[in-house]
Amino acid sequence: MNQRGADLVARTLVLAGVRRVFTLSGNHIMSVFDAALDAGLELLHVRHEAATVHMADAWGRLTGAPGIALVTGGPGHANAVSALYTALAAESPLVLLSGHAPLDELGKGAFQEMAQAEMAAPAAKAAWTVRSAATLGEDLARAMRMARAGRPGPVHLSLPSDLLEGKVDAPLPAAADFLPEPHLSHDAQALAIGAALDHLAAGKTPLLIAGPAMAGAPARRLLAQLEDATGVPCIVMESPRGVNDPSLGLLAEVLAKADSVVLAGKRRDFTLKFSQAFSPSARVLDADPVTEAWFAQAARKGWAKGGWRDEARAAFAWRPVSWKTLASPAEGPLHPVEIGRAAQKLLDAAPSVLVCDGGEFGQWAQATLSAPHRVINGIAGSIGSALPFAAAAKLAMPEANVVAMLGDGTFGFHSSEFDTAVRGDIAFVAVVGNDSAWNAEHQIQLRAYGAARAHGCLLLPTRYDRVAAAFGAHGEHVARPDELAPALERAMLAGRAACVDVLLQRLPAPTFKR
């Protein structure tokens, strides 16, 4: 009975292999802050609750282990919930732990009392409030297990403060309690894999499309190995632009030609035009994500490795020829393609992580940049997550060059996380495309309503490098193309978080057609 509920929570996290928690303090969770000291649990204290979830999200995508976010109850919890949807759509494993009003005060007007689990439920795989101090460890293990099981995603757990602060006599969970169980038996799994492979083998122009849960580097390597073994093009769709995914070139053409399609954990959602992106004659089969178990059966089948794979790969890689020589005006502002060419040099030094926010500049970045590891805003189509993503990416992969590409509109969401990065000695380079506009919405206005009715989407020509510098980060300003490469190099060598503010031409995102 010498341990508090908070101690049980902290020790359970450490038992699960968690060494770092992304958090923002508040009354309900200060006992967990205290317990973290004895448990050896590192806390990265951020500046906004949503940033804790974005960081846990990026951690989950890059490591495969659930990221842990810890926030206080009431308004702190409400701030964090908005970021859950991004993780849910990206199928990213994380656990949001929120402090909560004491159980014995509920219904009496307790401080920051709120129906927290009910609020989080629509944006999470599961959400509930712990009801007994004795089950705190058990509930936490269940939450971490659920975050990884089946289709991964965020799970929320509310922790009443009286349970955290009270004494409890309860054992830690067993190590096996954190491991997800397969949702299919071995025999059922083998039958499903065989059916998926038979479906692909029967096609002349087969295609495997994986869902966002397979967007991480290890899963992409698995897909590449399967493609080499079968000759079937294997891709991941994780962009809110769907068939116009800027990183997949002429994807729409490939989708229209495919005759046998396997959706490996990929939903038939708006990104596929609810299956209307395929030919009416195409045969489409839903399957689970690809695993190592696919290879034993794939090796036993005869695959017709014709020119289809090469044709599809050429389509995905297609970019306008003019991009190779495209140059910005000498006096600026810069074209996004030229920014991408320069930023790619930072990513060519392996290992590296590319982070892309939403908006038009984020789409240009995805069209022009590649890296072994990539974290984007994802199918949710949200904006503002790039800076928290970048910080978590650097912590997950300390030896990597981390480059975040974001627009000036998205910069405003979490600019204060430069303070977090400086305090935490977290070095990354954020390239801000500054066109003084919410350009994605501005382009919608131009297309749908005409220039005369485009209003309300312009921003001030703010010097975002100076904003970052005020938080202690390294700042660079680029107005001309000849200033870009030296600025990026200085930012990468700065040894701390850096912001490169680049004056950008106000252009719509690319949509590829021959």
Side-chain angles (χ1 to χ4, degrees), residues 102-125:
L103 290 180
D104 60 5
E105 295 180 3
L106 297 185
K108 302 176 184 178
F111 175 60
Q112 296 184 340
E113 180 178 347
M114 181 185 289
Q116 295 182 182
E118 291 82 352
M119 174 182 285
K125 284 185 67 177

Side-chain angles (χ1 to χ4, degrees), residues 319-336:
R319 300 294 186 272
V321 175
S322 60
W323 281 17
K324 295 180 180 179
T325 55
L326 188 151
S328 307
E331 69 281 3
L334 280 73
H335 194 286

